[in-house]
Amino acid sequence: MIFRSGSTVIASLIGLALFCFLFFFLVGNQTLGCETIWRYRAVFWQGWLETIIIALAALVLSSALGALIVAARRSSFVVLRSTAHGLVEIIRGTPLLTQILFFFYVVAHGIGLENRFIVGVFILSLFSSAYTAEMIRGGIEAIPLSQWESAKILGLTRLQIYRYVILPQVLRHLAPALTGQFASLIKDSSLLSIIGIKEFTMAAQQVNAATYCTLESYFPLACGYLLLTLPLSLGSRLLEKRLSS
Amino acid sequence: MKISVSHLKKNFTADHRSVELFKDLSFSVEFNHVLALIGRSGSGKTSLLRLLAGLERPDEGEIIIDGEPLQFHSTRWLQHYQKNLGFVFQHQNLFPHYTALENVVMPLTLVHREMPVTAEKKAVEMMERLKIFQHAEKKPHQLSGGEAQRVAIARALVTEPRFLLLDEPTASLDVEMKAEILDLIAELKTMKTPILLVTHEIGFARKCADQILFLEQGSILEQGAASSFFDHPQHPRIKKFLSNVFAY
């Protein structure tokens, strides 16, 4: 196990080193404006923190929304079931960029919601909730019927069956996938820059616009995302191995 | 204990086809200790046991246990009925994320609202009685088939059920473990909890059961006291079945 985890870390570090090497190889003899970029470190730092906050908020909200969608999809009410199914299909069938533009310029403006951060978190959560819901639904349906029957015959209520028998088993299997979903959320949040949310990508765009140092502006951006996603990817693999052993 | 079944109809879906298993099943049986449901594979033994446990709903007909009709349409009634019976599945169906002890404690704390300390004490006593306590902290995947089946039986018995239903409890076990579990079931007779047993262990049914129901294609071919059933079977098909079973 330790050996395998170690090899994943080494692979991640090699990947990062390769990325850095390619960057410096490609820029060749060009003069890098690193000092100029360093002056904007606070902008990068704030954008990076904003990305983490957006992704964390979206993770919590999308998990809750995902659970609600699953409850609706497993409901005995046809209307509720069909609505939830339709919502999942629409969200999964359209690009996130389209959803961001539609929700920001049509829905949010329509209801008078001006706070870009809230709108951004909500859009990202809604987008992610469709995928989370499918993961949870798949997890629940993967639990053998015998587990439901075994709990039922003991006299457990439906709520108790979910709380004590089904969900603990589903979450065990879902943990790696949810960690992966969090990494996706972090990357997807970059699209929120299109509606002017001052997250990490927006920060890089601002620095680029102010300095005209394009490569130097986007290099910290890539590193910043990798700093967040590589540990998550590693954590996801570790969880997967631990749960399968 | 008395079980009455009248005009029971039940269709099952297999490979997207509806199969009529019970067309018009009626019988009444009274027993003190062990009622064995025997018959060929696919005769409807397990399905009948599941109907008696409320795990399946009949399409038509009525099941009356000790004078009380099973109210299949009422979820609340069924839940109350099921919490007072013990059911042991062929493949144990323990909860994999709990230890053996937690599996046994669970129905006491969650369903019967016992205090955790009392529940654990009862669970420990039951596990000691069934000689499984040494594996209390193991998860189901760390137990052998026989050990897991003992835990399943402990979980079913710890709530002191009205009666115990055993669905081929030895079917998934090897010969040695099978003998262990059969010995255990024989011991359970002393607990005075009526047992309904679906089994292919005809020799064991002969030794332990006081009443026998023989099913064939969803109908009762013969029923009666174990001694007369095995010593003087009436139906030619049962005579042939028993002669085949006891040939080796």
Side-chain angles (χ1 to χ4, degrees), chain A residues 145-158 160 163-166 168-169 172 245, chain B residues 50 53-55 79 82-83 85 87 89 92-98 106-107 110-111 113 155:
Chain A
L145 181 66
S146 57
Q147 288 287 302
W148 294 85
E149 287 190 337
S150 194
K152 194 179 162 201
I153 205 75
L154 290 174
L156 267 69
T157 62
R158 195 173 163 80
Q160 284 177 325
R163 163 72 180 81
Y164 296 102
V165 178
I166 305 301
Q169 294 186 61
R172 266 173 68 90
S245 65
Chain B
R50 289 171 61 84
L55 282 172
Q79 204 179 316
Q82 285 170 336
K83 84 173 190 183
L85 60 83
F87 196 103
F89 294 87
Q92 302 99 38
N93 296 357
L94 296 174
F95 302 129
H97 51 301
Y98 292 126
M106 196 185 189
L110 293 182
V111 182
R113 302 286 169 199
R155 183 173 70 173

Side-chain angles (χ1 to χ4, degrees), chain B residues 13 23 42 70 136 149 155 174 183-184 204 208 218-219 224 239 241-243 247:
Chain B
T13 308
K23 288 172 188 159
L70 266 60
Q149 198 59 285
R155 183 173 70 173
D174 63 37
D183 285 345
L184 174 65
F204 178 72
C208 269
S219 305
K239 283 180 186 170
F241 175 82
L242 291 177
S243 67

Side-chain angles (χ1 to χ4, degrees), chain A residues 160-214:
Chain A
Q160 284 177 325
I161 295 175
Y162 273 105
R163 163 72 180 81
Y164 296 102
V165 178
I166 305 301
L167 287 182
Q169 294 186 61
V170 170
L171 288 177
R172 266 173 68 90
H173 296 297
L174 273 190
L178 281 177
T179 314
Q181 183 65 16
F182 185 46
S184 295
L185 268 174
I186 290 169
K187 287 180 285 176
D188 291 341
S189 68
S190 64
L191 284 174
L192 292 177
S193 60
I194 198 93
I195 55 168
I197 293 177
K198 290 179 180 169
E199 45 69 67
F200 199 30
T201 304
M202 182 65 154
Q205 285 170 349
Q206 282 177 336
V207 174
N208 179 38
T211 61
Y212 296 107
C213 297
T214 308

Side-chain angles (χ1 to χ4, degrees), chain B residues 89-150:
Chain B
F89 294 87
Q90 186 177 326
H91 295 287
Q92 302 99 38
N93 296 357
L94 296 174
F95 302 129
H97 51 301
Y98 292 126
T99 62
L101 180 63
E102 286 166 343
N103 264 281
V104 182
V105 167
M106 196 185 189
L108 290 171
T109 50
L110 293 182
V111 182
H112 295 264
R113 302 286 169 199
E114 301 250 10
M115 295 293 288
V117 179
T118 323
E120 191 165 324
K121 191 168 169 275
K122 282 187 179 179
V124 168
E125 279 172 13
M126 182 54 72
M127 291 181 84
E128 278 173 345
R129 189 170 181 177
L130 301 190
K131 300 180 182 76
I132 196 73
F133 183 66
Q134 65 272 31
H135 303 295
E137 294 309 318
K138 287 183 184 170
K139 293 276 178 75
H141 72 272
Q142 296 170 308
L143 301 170
S144 70
E147 289 160 357
Q149 198 59 285
R150 277 173 184 268

Side-chain angles (χ1 to χ4, degrees), chain B residues 74-237:
Chain B
S74 165
T75 309
R76 189 179 286 265
W77 187 93
L78 268 180
Q79 204 179 316
H80 180 75
Y81 167 73
Q82 285 170 336
K83 84 173 190 183
N84 290 310
L85 60 83
F87 196 103
V88 177
F89 294 87
Q90 186 177 326
H91 295 287
Q92 302 99 38
N93 296 357
L94 296 174
F95 302 129
H97 51 301
Y98 292 126
T99 62
L101 180 63
E102 286 166 343
N103 264 281
V104 182
V105 167
M106 196 185 189
L108 290 171
T109 50
L110 293 182
V111 182
H112 295 264
R113 302 286 169 199
E114 301 250 10
M115 295 293 288
V117 179
T118 323
E120 191 165 324
K121 191 168 169 275
K122 282 187 179 179
V124 168
E125 279 172 13
M126 182 54 72
M127 291 181 84
E128 278 173 345
R129 189 170 181 177
L130 301 190
K131 300 180 182 76
I132 196 73
F133 183 66
Q134 65 272 31
H135 303 295
E137 294 309 318
K138 287 183 184 170
K139 293 276 178 75
H141 72 272
Q142 296 170 308
L143 301 170
S144 70
E147 289 160 357
Q149 198 59 285
R150 277 173 184 268
V151 175
I153 294 173
R155 183 173 70 173
L157 282 175
V158 77
T159 56
E160 296 172 23
R162 274 172 65 194
F163 56 97
L164 181 66
L165 299 111
L166 302 169
D167 182 16
E168 297 189 45
T170 58
S172 60
L173 307 179
D174 63 37
V175 180
E176 199 180 353
M177 287 173 184
K178 203 176 267 190
E180 259 184 42
I181 296 299
L182 292 178
D183 285 345
L184 174 65
I185 297 168
E187 278 174 43
L188 293 181
K189 277 181 79 174
T190 59
M191 292 178 80
K192 307 287 181 203
T193 306
I195 297 171
L196 274 84
L197 171 71
V198 168
T199 186
H200 283 288
E201 303 296 329
I202 306 301
F204 178 72
R206 181 179 201 169
K207 190 178 152 193
C208 269
D210 38 278
Q211 285 284 324
I212 303 285
L213 280 180
F214 188 95
L215 270 98
E216 175 107 334
Q217 293 179 332
S219 305
I220 303 289
L221 214 57
E222 194 166 321
Q223 73 173 89
S227 52
S228 64
F229 177 87
F230 286 108
D231 295 339
H232 310 289
Q234 301 297 310
H235 202 286
R237 287 178 74 95

